[in-house]
Amino acid sequence: MNIHEYQAAELMAQQGIPTNAGVVATTAAAAGNAFDQLAGASGLVAVKAQVHTGGRGKAGGIKLARSSVETSEAASAILGMDISGHTVGKVLVAPGVDIAREYYLGVILDRAARGLTIMASAEGGVEIEEVARVSPEKIVRVTADPLLGLLDYQIREVAFGLKIEPQLMSGFSNILRALYDTFVANGASLAEINPLILTSDDHWLALDSKMTIDDNVLPYRPDLEELRDLDIENATELRAKANGISFVKLDGNIGCVVNGAGLAMATMDAIKLFGGEPANFLDVGGGATADQVALALELVLEDDAVEAILVNIFGGITRADLVAEGFVEARERVEVDVPVVIRLVGTNQAEGREILANAGISTVESMAEAAQAAVAAASGH
Amino acid sequence: MNIHEYQAAELMAQQGIPTNAGVVATTAAAAGNAFDQLAGASGLVAVKAQVHTGGRGKAGGIKLARSSVETSEAASAILGMDISGHTVGKVLVAPGVDIAREYYLGVILDRAARGLTIMASAEGGVEIEEVARVSPEKIVRVTADPLLGLLDYQIREVAFGLKIEPQLMSGFSNILRALYDTFVANGASLAEINPLILTSDDHWLALDSKMTIDDNVLPYRPDLEELRDLDIENATELRAKANGISFVKLDGNIGCVVNGAGLAMATMDAIKLFGGEPANFLDVGGGATADQVALALELVLEDDAVEAILVNIFGGITRADLVAEGFVEARERVEVDVPVVIRLVGTNQAEGREILANAGISTVESMAEAAQAAVAAASGH
Amino acid sequence: MSILVDSDTRLLVQGITGREGTFHAGQMIEYGTQVVAGVTPGRGGGSVHGVPVFDTVSEAARESSANASIIYVPARFAPDAVLEAADAGIPLIICITENIPVNEMIKVRAHVKSKCARLIGPNCPGLITPGEAKVGIMPGYIHKRGRVGLVSRSGTLTYEVVWALTEAGLGQTSAVGIGGDPINGTSFIDVLELFEADDETEGIVLLGEIGGSDEEEAAAYIAEHVSKPVSAFIAGRTAPPGKRMGHAGAIISGGAGTAESKIEALEAAGVAVADRPAAVADLMAKQLA
Amino acid sequence: MSILVDSDTRLLVQGITGREGTFHAGQMIEYGTQVVAGVTPGRGGGSVHGVPVFDTVSEAARESSANASIIYVPARFAPDAVLEAADAGIPLIICITENIPVNEMIKVRAHVKSKCARLIGPNCPGLITPGEAKVGIMPGYIHKRGRVGLVSRSGTLTYEVVWALTEAGLGQTSAVGIGGDPINGTSFIDVLELFEADDETEGIVLLGEIGGSDEEEAAAYIAEHVSKPVSAFIAGRTAPPGKRMGHAGAIISGGAGTAESKIEALEAAGVAVADRPAAVADLMAKQLA
């Protein structure tokens, strides 16, 4: 789960990182009102779009303002803006600061290293992927010990790698230690400060913060679940998630109901391969019940663009008879007004097919056949 | 460093262990006054000597009382009592409790296992060494993982080993987890609850607590250093410790000043071997300065029983010339009114001996020679 | 021959009294797997499908001489269950459980390695050596003992390809699901190494998906160390970036982990990459012809 | 031959710019030890006694090809220093520092083992192979290359016996101080195994003290695995129970760890136990006669 800049900054501040705290506003007026309390000596504030995507600077999602009126105007321009498909619903108004140097500092879940890797660069303010592509030698990497965590000598290695001066070492070390602690304490899979700045009077400040929380931690951490911005998340995806279904909205017209993430992706790929466009990714999950299958169909049908549905079930932990029952039940509950192609194989497939046959529903045998039939059905609609 | 029962109970309570909190008293009157607030429904309190030694029960250091007057009398009897050489300066007055079952539960630094071992037994209330000797099969042992700590399954292994009933598992598990946390959070080398009782209404309660803190943790933990009971510790030993000298008072008449713990013990052993009795163990420590050696002599001379002093220095990290300077300086500062035998070898021994020779002090070559000379000097005194 | 499990596998089931544990223990026994013990704390002394249940893994292992353990316990307790199995000296641990926090898995993985045990999963369907032992949740009847070793990050996608291999008459030596989480116990490379060394395995099928760089690392390994023919399918060509496609590990982030990158790397290593699951069997049939 | 260190040892000194580090680096160089690099964070680029100083162990190890590291940093920073050396791939780490909290050492010891490195100490005088390399704080001139391997929990007590062995004309192959802490990196058994395997070592001297059961374990090992003559001295016959005798590890607790128990175990294993340090050399001379 992605969280907003201001939320990440709060989690980091809890671990002692100096952040550039500001005010979150959902209206231009509220943003304007925040100017006086924030501008201070600099007489300047930054108005920043709070969206779960990068590149907001280039998209015009960050503006500087020197008065209450300018702040309000900036917020007005940013609120409602679309940045890479994300609509801006909130802005963060934060004090202007005097930047002497900019660093990048991040803790990432490093799959290749099977651990948590610290990435740091003296090229702050630009995306780390860009630095990695153009000048990888400018990135300092250290992987924390899986059992002992980040060690003091590793923090020193990062600091020496960035050529941090002796008198700045202790401040920098404290921030890196706190960033790692923020990551671990909140079950993150990403925590980054970009830029981490040094002000002209030698103070460290986290100017922009970003965090991603591991979805698997959320059931144990209601405090983190509360950080979810319900206004900007897809309602269908949230409803699916609440019921143990993985759902991702796509732009096509063939709805998919599949068990297993790999098979769900392969089903989308097959639809595309045979000339169609999938309307969604949907994995009903392991051990799907009749209720869940019924709900899956409902979720798919919420999308008006859907012109055909492909149900592709290969039973393992999910029993085909339960899926069949779910489908029959769903047809009674939900009005299914588009053609449905069903492929049902695996554990208890005979029982499952019998249930469907008794309800007058026929099935196809192979996945390719199913995909082709669904594409044909959608085109004919 | 040993701490008192009531102090250990406080540290355990901080981690959530239910302890039988009472009132600490240094006078019989204060103990008597505590009766009313503590006796409660049981109408009973226990008055317990607070001393850094075992076996206080057998020695009469624990008494039950059923009134304020009885409490005061019990405290009066216990305060000032000598238990295995320890004078009682404080009593803990604690509420009487209704005991259904008694367990032993401890976390110990297990040198053989190179880790922290949980020891538990359904034979609570008696010393674990006694249980270990008589019926070792009644002790459940589990060693925590050195890097991951105590794991949940290990707590279950202890609980199943003690045949704790299902409805009592969760309470027991919480206490064991908290005891381990108390150990780790306070840099302990021993933390035990004996007995851990189950009341007749199925509540767990730590009735007696004991902890030893690793001396090496104290420099980083002033809060724990404050738990030291200065009233009962040997003043000379404390003064030595404050100056980086290891000193232990013994009962003989030959004072020892040695560098290195092993050599200091061997020196004591040699004195005994040649018919004398060492007055102390004293290790001036690595890198001893002139000041420290002078102080070492002062410490030894504080003991009126000392009739001769043996200085035994084998230079390694400690330079013999510094020791010699220290000795000469000490002789100027302190009145050395007993014969002193000096043996000085190792790093810079020539310089050291020259310094002593210039001050009119002669040295002997071997340790056996030195021990024999010291024994002879003490006898002749 | 085969890899990892066979008729000598003596399986312990952790969480055997739970709904999934009981169901799949029954399925595995029915398939012919030697299920020798179960563990559910607090349920020691009972039995499930005639299999004795113990309170702890160490007791179960001691009494049953189990040499493998499969874990069906809920995510909250699964990391501890894996550690308990590893500390009890079980050399092969299969964790079916999904939704384990990844930071926990980093520690669990390191600990299991330090005990020289092998962990398969988590969030995986398990593994099977057809005709000898089924240690997982896959439908047994779709498998057929044969010539091809299969390794996969996915569950149902594996069944799809297994079925195609069976239909094509090729069958499987063993089929291993390594799981769809970002951090898991066994990688493609670990399994490739075993199949390469297995005499009975003539060809290898690798089923990957978007996210991470496991397939790219596998491709480099194949180019260097694998002499047997390999065919592959990568799921997620149509997946959009930044969206987790069900599996915690299946996400394209920062432009890395795309199906294209993986397919390119595999093809450069001489692997035949299919455009749909069932076609993998056709490619393998050609490679082995 | 000899054990652990010799003329090929390339030594790195952690804490080389500190008072003790500088003094002993000079002493070791003077003795003939190859001191190839020093480390003090923030002092990289400088030099001590002509030895280059680096900010980190990984950099120092890379630049100097060091194969051993000796640690003189204060107790607060010493655990991290050991971990840094182990992670940098240094196979032999000697920690002189005393007063390290024992709970920290439990973790450090486990980590060093997992990296397959060997830690000597902490709270030890180091080790020496006379005439080849002195890696520690012992006075070099008292040693003489010879026939006896020595292992000890104590510092100055070791010098005492080394001197007696030298005087007796026996000399030493190597002398190893394993340190006086309750948890240390290398045990008596580890060193006994090395001396037993070392061709040049004809007899072994073991110097123990009260506390723990390392000597009893060593006795059991000697009875089973050591063919060479062993003589020993145990310090602390006169030590009272419950009192820490200087070393954190030297304490008789709950009636365990007494000198009597250790002497009895060693004698039962055929070890000649002396009643004072210098007498160990006489016993060894007789055993080797």
Side-chain angles (χ1 to χ4, degrees):
Chain A
M1 179 181 79
N2 291 317
I3 60 175
H4 286 305
E5 172 193 4
Y6 75 93
Q7 295 169 322
E10 275 167 26
L11 294 178
M12 290 181 189
Q14 281 169 18
Q15 300 289 335
I17 295 178
T19 59
N20 193 32
V23 167
V24 179
T26 54
T27 65
N33 290 341
F35 178 84
D36 286 343
Q37 70 173 100
L38 295 169
S42 71
L44 188 74
V45 298
V47 183
K48 305 195 274 184
Q50 300 296 288
V51 278
H52 294 166
T53 184
R56 66 182 172 170
K58 280 181 207 148
I62 301 180
K63 294 182 190 297
L64 295 179
R66 299 189 174 275
S67 69
S68 178
V69 172
E70 272 185 42
T71 304
S72 167
E73 285 169 0
S76 179
I78 294 171
L79 285 164
M81 184 182 269
D82 181 287
I83 302 180
S84 317
H86 297 254
T87 307
V88 182
K90 289 179 180 142
V91 293
L92 173 64
V93 186
V97 287
D98 183 14
I99 301 175
R101 280 191 241 161
E102 295 184 286
Y103 294 86
Y104 169 92
L105 193 59
V107 182
I108 61 158
L109 169 66
D110 186 344
R111 294 167 64 159
R114 270 84 180 170
L116 306 183
T117 292
I118 314 306
M119 290 179 76
S121 163
E123 307 264 305
V126 290
E127 289 201 11
I128 193 70
E129 289 89 356
E130 184 62 15
V131 181
R133 203 177 54 78
V134 178
S135 37
E137 77 287 352
K138 288 189 178 161
I139 298 179
V140 181
R141 284 168 196 266
V142 160
T143 298
D145 185 83
L147 296 170
L148 291 169
L150 182 63
L151 300 170
D152 286 341
Y153 85 82
Q154 297 185 304
I155 292 180
R156 291 197 301 271
E157 285 186 341
V158 173
F160 287 124
L162 295 179
K163 304 199 187 339
I164 306 282
E165 293 83 348
Q167 74 278 10
L168 299 172
M169 282 282 271
S170 142
F172 176 84
S173 300
N174 290 342
I175 287 173
L176 176 47
R177 168 66 63 199
L179 183 63
Y180 182 81
D181 289 347
T182 304
F183 186 105
V184 171
N186 297 291
S189 51
L190 172 78
E192 63 178 29
I193 306 174
N194 189 20
L196 167 66
I197 66 152
L198 192 68
T199 62
S200 48
D201 56 348
D202 275 2
H203 284 95
W204 292 102
L205 192 67
L207 207 57
D208 189 357
S209 305
K210 185 174 173 185
M211 277 180 74
T212 304
I213 307 294
D214 177 0
D215 289 338
N216 292 342
V217 166
L218 296 174
Y220 317 113
R221 291 291 299 273
D223 59 322
L224 294 175
E225 178 62 48
E226 272 182 20
L227 299 181
R228 188 182 296 280
D229 188 343
L230 298 173
D231 294 340
I232 60 169
E233 296 214 16
N234 181 292
T236 307
E237 292 184 12
L238 288 178
R239 193 169 154 220
K241 186 193 291 265
N243 289 280
I245 293 174
S246 292
F247 181 94
V248 177
K249 169 89 181 70
L250 299 171
D251 294 330
N253 59 349
I254 300 175
C256 303
V257 174
V258 191
N259 72 318
L263 191 63
M265 279 188 278
T267 303
M268 285 156 46
D269 296 351
I271 288 168
K272 180 92 174 178
L273 184 69
F274 291 109
E277 288 289 340
N280 64 276
F281 165 92
L282 190 155
D283 170 13
V284 291
T289 62
D291 273 358
Q292 251 172 306
V293 177
L295 177 65
L297 282 171
E298 279 181 36
L299 293 170
V300 169
L301 286 165
E302 276 178 17
D303 182 355
D304 291 338
V306 168
E307 296 181 76
I309 295 178
L310 196 170
V311 179
N312 186 12
I313 303 290
F314 208 117
I317 205 165
T318 304
R319 284 155 46 191
D321 53 338
L322 290 182
V323 177
E325 277 171 20
F327 186 73
V328 171
E329 202 177 313
R331 280 235 311 198
E332 281 160 21
R333 277 197 235 159
V334 199
E335 193 193 343
V336 182
D337 54 358
V338 296
V340 179
V341 178
I342 304 186
R343 178 199 182 225
L344 187 61
V345 285
T347 307
N348 295 6
Q349 68 175 26
E351 294 88 334
R353 288 180 187 179
E354 195 185 332
I355 290 165
L356 290 177
N358 289 345
I361 303 163
S362 63
T363 54
V364 297
E365 188 66 32
S366 84
M367 191 168 146
E369 204 179 326
Q372 283 167 308
V375 172
S379 314
H381 199 69
Chain B
M1 178 180 80
N2 291 316
I3 60 174
H4 286 305
E5 172 194 2
Y6 75 91
Q7 296 169 321
E10 276 168 26
L11 293 178
M12 291 180 189
Q14 281 168 19
Q15 300 289 333
I17 295 178
T19 60
N20 192 33
V23 167
V24 179
T26 54
T27 66
N33 290 342
F35 178 84
D36 286 343
Q37 69 172 100
L38 295 170
S42 71
L44 189 75
V45 299
V47 182
K48 305 195 276 183
Q50 300 295 290
V51 278
H52 294 167
T53 184
R56 66 183 172 168
K58 281 180 208 148
I62 302 180
K63 294 181 191 296
L64 296 179
R66 299 190 171 274
S67 69
S68 178
V69 172
E70 271 184 42
T71 305
S72 166
E73 285 169 0
S76 178
I78 295 170
L79 286 164
M81 185 182 268
D82 180 287
I83 302 179
S84 318
H86 297 253
T87 307
V88 181
K90 288 178 181 141
V91 292
L92 173 63
V93 186
V97 288
D98 184 15
I99 302 175
R101 281 191 242 160
E102 296 183 284
Y103 294 86
Y104 170 91
L105 192 60
V107 182
I108 61 159
L109 169 66
D110 186 344
R111 294 167 64 158
R114 270 84 179 170
L116 306 183
T117 292
I118 314 306
M119 290 178 75
S121 163
E123 307 265 306
V126 291
E127 290 202 9
I128 193 70
E129 290 88 355
E130 185 62 16
V131 181
R133 202 176 55 78
V134 179
S135 37
E137 76 288 353
K138 289 189 176 160
I139 299 179
V140 180
R141 283 166 195 266
V142 159
T143 298
D145 185 84
L147 297 170
L148 291 169
L150 182 63
L151 299 170
D152 287 341
Y153 86 82
Q154 298 184 304
I155 292 179
R156 291 197 301 270
E157 286 186 342
V158 173
F160 288 123
L162 295 179
K163 303 198 185 346
I164 306 282
E165 293 83 348
Q167 76 278 12
L168 299 171
M169 282 283 270
S170 144
F172 177 84
S173 300
N174 290 343
I175 288 174
L176 176 47
R177 169 65 64 200
L179 183 63
Y180 183 82
D181 289 347
T182 305
F183 186 107
V184 172
N186 297 290
S189 50
L190 172 78
E192 64 178 30
I193 305 174
N194 188 21
L196 167 66
I197 66 154
L198 191 69
T199 61
S200 48
D201 57 347
D202 275 2
H203 284 95
W204 291 103
L205 191 67
L207 208 57
D208 190 356
S209 305
K210 186 174 172 185
M211 278 180 74
T212 304
I213 308 293
D214 178 0
D215 290 338
N216 292 342
V217 166
L218 297 173
Y220 317 113
R221 292 290 300 272
D223 58 323
L224 295 174
E225 179 62 48
E226 271 181 20
L227 300 181
R228 189 183 294 282
D229 188 343
L230 297 173
D231 294 340
I232 60 167
E233 297 214 15
N234 181 292
T236 307
E237 291 183 13
L238 288 178
R239 193 170 155 220
K241 186 193 292 263
N243 290 279
I245 293 174
S246 293
F247 180 94
V248 176
K249 170 89 181 70
L250 299 171
D251 295 330
N253 59 349
I254 300 175
C256 302
V257 174
V258 191
N259 70 317
L263 191 63
M265 279 189 277
T267 303
M268 286 156 45
D269 295 349
I271 288 168
K272 180 92 174 179
L273 185 69
F274 291 110
E277 288 290 342
N280 64 276
F281 165 91
L282 190 153
D283 170 13
V284 293
T289 62
D291 273 357
Q292 251 172 306
V293 177
L295 176 66
L297 281 171
E298 279 181 37
L299 293 170
V300 169
L301 286 164
E302 275 178 16
D303 182 354
D304 291 338
V306 168
E307 297 182 76
I309 295 177
L310 196 170
V311 179
N312 185 13
I313 303 290
F314 208 118
I317 205 165
T318 303
R319 284 154 47 189
D321 53 338
L322 290 182
V323 176
E325 277 171 19
F327 186 74
V328 171
E329 202 177 312
R331 282 235 312 201
E332 282 160 19
R333 278 198 233 161
V334 198
E335 193 192 343
V336 182
D337 54 0
V338 297
V340 179
V341 179
I342 304 185
R343 179 199 181 224
L344 187 62
V345 285
T347 307
N348 294 7
Q349 69 175 24
E351 295 87 333
R353 288 178 187 181
E354 196 185 330
I355 290 165
L356 291 176
N358 290 344
I361 303 163
S362 63
T363 54
V364 297
E365 189 65 32
S366 84
M367 192 168 145
E369 205 181 327
Q372 282 168 310
V375 172
S379 314
H381 198 71
Chain C
M1 286 280 290
S2 57
I3 67 166
L4 296 166
V5 295
D6 56 28
S7 53
D8 293 330
T9 297
R10 296 176 58 81
L11 188 68
L12 185 156
V13 178
Q14 287 176 257
I16 195 169
T17 62
R19 194 169 57 91
E20 297 299 336
T22 300
F23 175 75
H24 287 293
Q27 296 278 310
M28 291 188 289
I29 291 168
E30 194 175 295
Y31 191 79
T33 310
Q34 281 196 69
V35 177
V36 296
V39 167
T40 297
R43 301 287 288 273
S47 77
V48 170
H49 302 305
V51 172
V53 178
F54 299 88
D55 284 323
T56 67
V57 175
S58 63
E59 193 188 355
R62 199 166 52 237
E63 298 295 323
S64 70
S65 303
N67 56 17
S69 184
I70 187 163
I71 292 171
Y72 290 100
V73 312
R76 183 183 280 252
F77 309 110
D80 186 61
V82 176
L83 298 172
E84 182 173 7
D87 286 353
I90 305 284
L92 177 65
I93 303 161
I94 298 93
C95 185
I96 304 299
T97 311
E98 61 183 332
N99 295 326
I100 299 176
V102 68
N103 289 335
E104 301 250 349
M105 276 315 300
I106 291 173
K107 286 191 252 183
V108 169
R109 181 182 195 279
H111 185 77
V112 170
K113 288 246 162 205
S114 79
K115 294 281 166 181
C116 298
R118 182 187 296 274
L119 170 68
I120 312 260
N123 190 13
C124 80
L127 69 168
I128 186 169
T129 291
E132 300 204 30
K134 167 176 124 110
V135 180
I137 59 175
M138 63 289 289
Y141 69 90
I142 61 172
H143 299 81
K144 183 179 171 244
R145 189 56 173 269
R147 306 156 68 188
V148 179
L150 184 147
V151 58
S152 170
R153 268 171 73 187
S154 168
T156 43
L157 183 56
T158 309
Y159 314 157
E160 189 74 38
V161 176
V162 160
W163 184 237
L165 288 168
T166 296
E167 295 262 284
L170 295 170
Q172 307 86 34
T173 49
S174 299
V176 182
I178 60 171
D181 275 6
I183 303 285
N184 54 17
T186 296
S187 69
F188 279 132
I189 292 175
D190 297 328
V191 182
L192 287 169
E193 190 179 357
L194 294 171
F195 278 133
E196 173 68 13
D198 175 46
D199 289 344
E200 192 180 329
T201 300
E202 296 172 35
I204 304 170
V205 164
L206 182 152
L207 303 179
E209 60 187 29
I210 54 162
S213 56
D214 230 31
E215 290 80 1
E216 286 87 337
E217 288 156 30
Y221 183 85
I222 289 167
E224 198 73 21
H225 303 286
V226 177
S227 65
K228 299 177 181 178
V230 182
S231 66
F233 173 76
I234 302 295
R237 292 184 206 224
T238 47
K243 285 286 190 177
R244 166 178 163 169
M245 304 308 273
H247 286 166
I251 183 165
I252 298 167
S253 50
T258 62
E260 288 66 32
S261 151
K262 294 169 190 304
I263 291 166
E264 195 180 309
L266 288 165
E267 287 184 336
V271 174
V273 182
D275 58 6
R276 58 202 162 86
V280 176
D282 305 336
L283 292 177
M284 182 49 66
K286 273 186 210 139
Q287 286 176 302
L288 292 180
Chain D
M1 285 281 289
S2 57
I3 66 166
L4 296 166
V5 295
D6 57 28
S7 55
D8 292 329
T9 297
R10 297 176 59 80
L11 188 67
L12 184 157
V13 177
Q14 287 176 258
I16 196 169
T17 62
R19 194 169 57 91
E20 298 299 336
T22 301
F23 175 75
H24 287 293
Q27 296 277 308
M28 292 187 288
I29 292 168
E30 194 175 295
Y31 190 80
T33 310
Q34 281 196 70
V35 177
V36 296
V39 167
T40 297
R43 301 288 287 273
S47 76
V48 170
H49 303 307
V51 173
V53 178
F54 299 88
D55 285 322
T56 68
V57 175
S58 62
E59 192 188 355
R62 199 167 51 238
E63 297 295 323
S64 70
S65 303
N67 56 17
S69 184
I70 187 162
I71 292 171
Y72 292 99
V73 311
R76 183 182 280 252
F77 309 110
D80 185 61
V82 176
L83 298 172
E84 182 174 7
D87 286 352
I90 305 284
L92 178 65
I93 303 162
I94 298 93
C95 185
I96 304 300
T97 311
E98 61 183 332
N99 296 326
I100 298 176
V102 68
N103 289 336
E104 301 250 349
M105 275 314 300
I106 291 173
K107 288 191 251 184
V108 169
R109 182 181 194 281
H111 184 77
V112 169
K113 288 248 162 202
S114 79
K115 293 282 166 181
C116 298
R118 182 188 295 275
L119 171 67
I120 312 259
N123 190 15
C124 80
L127 71 166
I128 185 169
T129 291
E132 299 203 32
K134 168 177 123 112
V135 179
I137 60 175
M138 63 290 287
Y141 69 91
I142 61 173
H143 298 81
K144 186 181 169 244
R145 189 57 173 269
R147 308 155 66 188
V148 179
L150 184 147
V151 58
S152 171
R153 269 172 71 188
S154 168
T156 44
L157 183 56
T158 310
Y159 313 157
E160 190 75 39
V161 176
V162 160
W163 183 236
L165 288 168
T166 296
E167 295 261 284
L170 296 170
Q172 308 86 34
T173 48
S174 298
V176 182
I178 60 172
D181 275 6
I183 303 284
N184 53 20
T186 296
S187 70
F188 279 132
I189 292 175
D190 297 328
V191 181
L192 287 169
E193 190 180 357
L194 294 171
F195 279 134
E196 174 70 13
D198 176 46
D199 289 343
E200 193 180 329
T201 299
E202 297 172 34
I204 304 170
V205 164
L206 180 152
L207 303 179
E209 61 188 28
I210 54 163
S213 57
D214 229 31
E215 290 81 1
E216 287 88 337
E217 288 157 29
Y221 183 85
I222 289 166
E224 198 74 19
H225 303 286
V226 177
S227 64
K228 298 177 182 179
V230 181
S231 65
F233 173 76
I234 302 296
R237 291 184 205 226
T238 48
K243 284 287 191 177
R244 166 178 163 169
M245 305 307 272
H247 286 167
I251 184 165
I252 298 166
S253 49
T258 63
E260 288 66 33
S261 152
K262 293 168 189 303
I263 291 167
E264 196 181 307
L266 287 165
E267 288 184 336
V271 175
V273 183
D275 59 6
R276 60 205 159 83
V280 177
D282 304 336
L283 293 177
M284 183 48 67
K286 275 187 206 136
Q287 286 175 302
L288 293 180

